[in-house]
Amino acid sequence: MTPIALAIACLLSVTLGYVGMCAAAPFGPCRRCRGFGFEMKTDRKGQLKRGKNCRRCKATGRRIRIGRWIFNRAQRLYREGTR
C-alpha cells in the first residue's frame, strides 16, 4: 500500500470514528469544570471544596461536541431553506 493511500485510509477512519462518536454521544464533558458542573477550589488548609457553578456549561457539566454543533447547524439551514 502506498503512503498516500495509507494516509487517506487513516484520515478516513479517524473522521468516521468521530462522526460515530458525535452520533452516539453528542455531549461531552465541559472543558472548564471537567464535567463536575462547578469549579473545585482549595481552602486555606489545602482541602478541596466545591466552588461556584460553571457559567460555561450552566452547571450541567456537559457541552455539545463541535461535530454535532456543525451537524445541527447544517440540518437547521437545510430545513429552513427547503420550506
Side-chain angles (χ1 to χ4, degrees), residues 7-9 22 24 27 41 44 46 49 58 65 78:
I8 290 172
C22 286
F27 294 97
K41 289 187 173 184
R44 290 187 289 178
K49 287 178 58 172
K58 298 180 181 78
R65 294 187 194 274
Y78 176 76

Side-chain angles (χ1 to χ4, degrees), residues 18-29 62-66 68:
Y18 184 71
V19 167
M21 185 174 64
C22 286
F27 294 97
R62 295 288 186 201
R63 64 166 178 85
I64 194 156
R65 294 187 194 274
I66 294 171
R68 185 62 182 209

